Amino acid sequence: REFSSVWSINCLVLALLCTWALCNAQSDSDSPKIQLRLAGEKRKHYEGRVEVLYDGEWGTVCDDDFSIYAAQVVCRELGFMDAVSWLPSAKYGRGEGRIWLDNLHCTGSEKSLAQCESNGFGVSDCKHSEDVGVVCSQKRIPGFKFIRNQGLNVQVEDVRIRATYSNRKRIPITEGFVEVKDGGKWRQICSEEWTQMNSRVICGMYGFPDEKNINIRPYKLLAKRRKKNYWGFSVNCTGNEADLSDCKLGREIELRGNNTCRKGMPTVVSCMPGRGFAPSFLLFLQQPLVRLRGGALIGEGRVEVLKNGEWGTVCDDKWNIRAATVVCRELGFGSAKEALSGAKMGQGIGSVHMNEVECSGFEKSLTECHFNRDSVGCSHEEDAAVKCNVPAMGFNTRLRLSGGRNPSEGRVEVLAERNGSLVWGTVCSDSWGTMEAMVVCRQLGLGFANHAFQETWYWQGDSSSQAVVMSGVRCSGTEMTLDQCLHHGKHVICPNGGGRFAAGVSCTLTAPDLVLSAQVVEQTTYLEDRPLYALQCAQEERCLSTTSDNADPTSYRRLLRFSSQIHNNGLSDFRPRASPHSWVWHECHRHYHSMEVFTYYDLLSLNGTKVAEGHKASFCLEDTYCDEGIQKRYECANFGSQGITVGCWDTYRHDIDCQWIDITDVKPGDYILQVVINPNYEVAESDYTNNVMKCRSRYDGHRIWTYNCHIGETNALRTHFLL
């Protein structure tokens, strides 16, 4: 009888558990079956407009009552760990079709967006201008089981090119088996339906502009000896996708153990490295008609194109990931990670050469894409920019910063070979400056140099890395690694030794960018004759030719005068490197000079020889005028802070002292007027190529004509595209 009662109780408990489980199953099954995707332009693969597949039709979600909790549900349903943010008002563009969900209320714990409270599917008073978007964390949920339907985009945790054992030490890795991580495991892709377009996308993701043919025989032999774990789907890429997640899921593969993929083998790709990443024996004779400027890292920057010998920018109207990918591949990088608008990499100068660019994605150059020749309505506030995929070169494994207060500063230590082994050591600080620091920061992926330090005694680095292993470093600033700069090699020469005189840097992700107005110089140039006795202050500041030292005070000096208007186009303020306590007071002009040398004014012969020098020893830096909506921050009066704010300019009128070149001893003829800003690179900038301005000048002994003023290098002799 006792046994019978215990059995009855167990049956009752079991029945209750079954009823509870059935109810929960029914509640889950009661939720409509939906699928989600992220869509829209100018986006990364983990962000976009939220779109819902319901009743066989794709639609959008309204932003009314949407919250971060709803974004978390969306991101987790798509296989991402979490949500970072959400964006209302169709920030990723307006969708099409039905607006399936409105007035969503989620707690964040729901397994599907369909389980959140709402008005019901298709019940909405919204317009597509209210389509909501989300930004998910980049990290995928390990072992996440994605919903797979043919025609949907590929969704996996990760993708890799797995090199063979003999090739794993090669840098960069350009070929190997393609593997995807799905369900927490790495799996091969069957080659039966693999195409060249698929390879093109994989290579682009890994920073390579092109794919190439490969001898698959050794890989076939290797695959026969290995245990295979195939992925259950094929891939269908068109070739112009920036990422595998943009490709469509192909046919489902029947997994039959060793009989899977009998007509094929694990897919192998081989990629062609671009300029800058290729072995030295590969030559790239044709220079691209596109360049990047203002970017903090390798493979990113403002897009500039060459037209009729002059560089100009691209307007961001219709700018998208396809056009950005064409730029990246043209420059020897892979596909684009991001297409940026709104001058996110700083404003350019000169003309806007291209507008409303539309590319198929297969063009060899951006100049082959369709575009509008009319850039009316476009300003440099709309300059387009890109971030490209670059190969994994291991640059940051050969260089490190030690002892700093944060990861972006410290003593520079390099990995060098000594006595047959690799050891860490310091860099001699003799000749160490901003250009060298720029290369270090770029190599480490830390952006621009903020400061270059020649003494680092206050940073206690690794005690085993005190020895100097690199000296005589001279960089142009364009190198990708410090060892590409000129240096003494294995024969270290460092008179001051290492220790406290080891080189150091601090890095930043933003930098100023000063640009002189060539138009203002051209329009304000004129000659003035002034008696020497009226130029006492200028003579003290060495703004006159050396012949004035022995000249009669009653004699006259002939001065070539002009105005300078210097604009900060960058993303951070231009600040003098010297701290206020070291600024120099000039009694004549009654203000402090915060930089020892800020500009050079020179008159050159047509072959580049200096014939007159108007050395502007130093300036007082302040905001004279600012763009609309920007507040002035710097002024010289009363020992104020000095600098030039982003969006402001410092103007030096033609009628102030030292705003000239002394041409008293110059003979009549044709010359070049040259102005160089920040000539000693004392302050780091995002772009130094626009720091030089040159004008043609003709002097007849009485009058002077200045014309054809331009900023930066000219390329009149290079091939240019016709618009």
Side-chain angles (χ1 to χ4, degrees):
R1 188 178 298 171
E2 288 179 4
F3 176 79
S4 176
S5 63
V6 169
W7 175 253
S8 299
I9 292 171
N10 286 341
C11 287
L12 180 61
V13 170
L14 188 62
L16 289 171
L17 286 171
C18 289
T19 304
W20 177 82
L22 184 61
C23 290
N24 274 276
Q26 285 175 343
S27 66
D28 279 352
S29 62
D30 287 344
S31 300
K33 295 298 182 184
I34 64 170
Q35 289 182 27
L36 302 182
R37 70 182 181 188
L38 300 179
E41 294 292 349
K42 299 180 181 177
R43 67 181 186 92
K44 304 164 192 170
H45 68 275
Y46 51 85
E47 65 177 351
R49 181 177 61 249
V50 180
E51 295 195 347
V52 180
L53 180 64
Y54 174 71
D55 198 21
E57 183 181 349
W58 284 102
T60 62
V61 177
C62 182
D63 60 16
D64 290 352
D65 294 336
F66 201 86
S67 67
I68 190 65
Y69 301 114
Q72 289 170 351
V73 175
V74 169
C75 291
R76 284 199 295 270
E77 192 168 354
L78 288 169
F80 298 100
M81 289 285 284
D82 201 0
V84 175
S85 62
W86 63 278
L87 298 95
S89 307
K91 289 294 190 300
Y92 293 100
R94 300 183 183 191
E96 297 177 346
R98 302 282 294 275
I99 297 177
W100 279 126
L101 293 169
D102 188 9
N103 296 114
L104 270 171
H105 293 272
C106 304
T107 65
S109 61
E110 294 86 353
K111 293 181 180 179
S112 170
L113 202 63
Q115 295 174 0
C116 298
E117 292 183 13
S118 70
N119 294 347
F121 278 86
V123 181
S124 173
D125 59 355
C126 295
K127 299 178 181 178
H128 282 298
S129 59
E130 300 171 83
D131 286 344
V132 77
V134 298
V135 179
C136 302
S137 65
Q138 297 185 48
K139 196 171 182 182
R140 290 285 196 178
I141 298 173
F144 183 81
K145 296 293 184 183
F146 294 96
I147 298 172
R148 315 270 188 206
N149 272 347
Q150 192 171 346
L152 287 179
N153 285 14
V154 173
Q155 290 179 299
V156 290
E157 293 170 49
D158 204 356
V159 185
R160 72 180 181 185
I161 298 176
R162 186 184 180 193
T164 59
Y165 184 79
S166 59
N167 290 334
R168 283 179 190 171
K169 292 186 179 180
R170 289 187 180 180
I171 297 177
I173 292 174
T174 58
E175 68 178 50
F177 293 104
V178 179
E179 296 185 341
V180 295
K181 194 174 187 181
D182 190 30
K185 295 181 179 179
W186 286 104
R187 306 173 191 274
Q188 300 85 39
I189 300 177
C190 178
S191 66
E192 287 179 356
E193 297 182 20
W194 189 262
T195 67
Q196 186 180 1
M197 293 297 99
N198 296 346
S199 296
R200 174 180 167 86
V201 173
I202 294 293
C203 290
M205 287 174 61
Y206 278 86
F208 304 110
D210 292 299
E211 76 290 344
K212 63 178 181 178
N213 294 328
I214 183 174
N215 179 13
I216 63 169
R217 287 186 63 187
Y219 286 94
K220 210 167 193 175
L221 293 172
L222 186 61
K224 285 182 179 179
R225 298 198 300 267
R226 282 184 175 175
K227 183 179 179 181
K228 290 176 279 295
N229 182 22
Y230 281 106
W231 191 45
F233 295 87
S234 61
V235 176
N236 185 15
C237 302
T238 61
N240 57 11
E241 297 90 348
D243 193 273
L244 189 66
S245 62
D246 298 321
C247 297
K248 298 297 181 185
L249 202 62
R251 181 179 63 86
E252 188 169 356
I253 303 294
E254 186 179 352
L255 301 178
R256 297 179 295 174
N258 291 333
N259 291 322
T260 305
C261 195
R262 293 196 64 181
K263 295 181 181 178
M265 59 173 281
T267 294
V268 179
V269 298
S270 182
C271 307
M272 176 74 75
R275 67 182 75 245
F277 305 102
S280 56
F281 60 82
L282 290 178
L283 298 177
F284 297 86
L285 299 177
Q286 187 176 0
Q287 291 297 311
L289 301 172
V290 179
R291 70 181 184 183
L292 301 182
R293 286 291 182 266
L297 305 176
I298 297 170
E300 68 177 39
R302 180 179 61 252
V303 180
E304 297 186 354
V305 294
L306 186 65
K307 173 191 174 184
N308 296 333
E310 296 293 336
W311 290 99
T313 62
V314 178
C315 187
D316 63 12
D317 293 351
K318 297 187 178 180
W319 186 249
N320 60 23
I321 201 75
R322 284 191 181 181
T325 291
V326 171
V327 169
C328 292
R329 291 184 188 273
E330 181 178 1
L331 292 172
F333 304 112
S335 53
K337 289 190 289 188
E338 197 171 354
L340 298 165
S341 57
K344 291 292 194 308
M345 295 290 180
Q347 297 183 26
I349 58 173
S351 301
V352 178
H353 285 337
M354 302 178 78
N355 183 24
E356 298 179 344
V357 179
E358 295 183 79
C359 304
S360 69
F362 294 101
E363 294 85 354
K364 292 296 183 184
S365 172
L366 188 70
T367 59
E368 296 176 8
C369 298
H370 294 289
F371 60 93
N372 189 346
R373 295 172 173 81
D374 185 4
S375 58
V376 174
C378 284
S379 68
H380 287 300
E381 294 177 354
E382 301 170 86
D383 284 345
V386 298
K387 288 185 178 180
C388 306
N389 287 310
V390 298
M393 300 295 292
F395 288 155
N396 56 357
T397 62
R398 291 175 274 169
L399 188 73
R400 70 186 184 188
L401 301 183
S402 181
R405 296 164 296 179
N406 58 64
S408 295
E409 68 174 22
R411 185 178 75 185
V412 179
E413 295 179 357
V414 297
L415 193 61
E417 186 178 341
R418 289 294 180 269
N419 300 321
S421 60
L422 292 173
V423 297
W424 287 99
T426 60
V427 178
C428 185
S429 64
D430 289 356
S431 76
W432 187 259
T434 301
M435 284 303 190
E436 290 70 37
M438 285 288 238
V439 174
V440 168
C441 292
R442 187 186 302 115
Q443 181 175 348
L444 291 173
L446 297 175
F448 305 106
N450 197 23
H451 288 296
F453 299 95
Q454 294 186 330
E455 288 189 40
T456 53
W457 54 268
Y458 38 80
W459 285 331
Q460 295 300 316
D462 191 333
S463 59
S464 63
S465 308
Q466 297 289 345
V468 178
V469 296
M470 194 175 195
S471 64
V473 182
R474 295 274 188 174
C475 304
S476 67
T478 59
E479 298 88 352
M480 286 192 284
T481 63
L482 197 64
D483 57 13
Q484 290 176 359
C485 301
L486 294 173
H487 58 92
H488 290 154
K490 294 182 179 180
H491 305 287
V492 175
I493 304 171
C494 191
N496 291 328
R500 64 175 294 171
F501 294 106
V505 300
S506 65
C507 306
T508 176
L509 287 174
T510 59
D513 181 21
L514 298 188
V515 180
L516 178 70
S517 172
Q519 184 180 11
V520 169
V521 172
E522 188 168 329
Q523 292 174 350
T524 58
T525 306
Y526 66 97
L527 295 180
E528 181 191 19
D529 292 338
R530 293 194 71 183
L532 183 57
Y533 63 77
L535 299 170
Q536 182 181 353
C537 281
Q539 196 164 16
E540 286 181 12
E541 290 192 24
R542 312 304 301 170
C543 295
L544 298 176
S545 172
T546 53
T547 59
S548 66
D549 294 342
N550 301 317
D552 185 336
T554 61
S555 63
Y556 280 74
R557 308 302 296 182
R558 176 155 290 179
L559 308 175
L560 171 58
R561 285 187 172 275
F562 52 88
S563 295
S564 292
Q565 188 181 84
I566 301 167
H567 195 268
N568 184 357
N569 278 6
L571 298 176
S572 64
D573 294 354
F574 185 93
R575 299 296 310 277
R577 180 181 175 184
S579 54
H581 73 270
S582 62
W583 294 354
V584 178
W585 174 258
H586 283 260
E587 185 64 32
C588 272
H589 296 140
R590 307 293 298 172
H591 61 223
Y592 285 92
H593 286 181
S594 57
M595 290 183 67
E596 184 180 348
V597 177
F598 182 62
T599 57
Y600 283 145
Y601 298 156
D602 296 303
L603 196 68
L604 312 175
S605 66
L606 296 183
N607 63 10
T609 306
K610 288 184 182 180
V611 295
E613 186 176 313
H615 176 199
K616 184 70 174 177
S618 54
F619 273 33
C620 175
L621 303 174
E622 66 178 5
D623 297 328
T624 310
Y625 302 101
C626 293
D627 295 335
E628 187 177 352
I630 297 176
Q631 191 74 28
K632 294 180 183 179
R633 298 181 60 187
Y634 306 105
E635 62 177 349
C636 296
N638 302 318
F639 196 46
S641 296
Q642 292 194 25
I644 306 175
T645 305
V646 174
C648 297
W649 56 89
D650 194 357
T651 300
Y652 299 91
R653 285 174 51 87
H654 53 80
D655 54 0
I656 65 173
D657 264 5
C658 293
Q659 193 57 41
W660 62 58
I661 298 175
D662 182 355
I663 65 166
T664 305
D665 307 311
V666 174
K667 297 177 180 178
D670 290 317
Y671 299 99
I672 297 172
L673 168 62
Q674 177 176 279
V675 178
V676 184
I677 308 169
N678 193 16
N680 297 334
Y681 314 117
E682 191 175 329
V683 177
E685 297 185 48
S686 61
D687 186 4
Y688 287 112
T689 62
N690 55 19
N691 282 30
V692 180
M693 187 222 66
K694 293 183 179 181
C695 303
R696 290 294 301 269
S697 295
R698 174 164 291 180
Y699 175 48
D700 67 359
H702 305 284
R703 295 168 297 176
I704 195 162
W705 292 266
T706 304
Y707 57 98
N708 195 24
C709 295
H710 59 269
I711 298 292
E713 72 272 44
T714 56
N715 298 273
L717 297 180
R718 282 186 44 189
T719 305
H720 57 269
F721 73 97
L722 299 176
L723 296 181

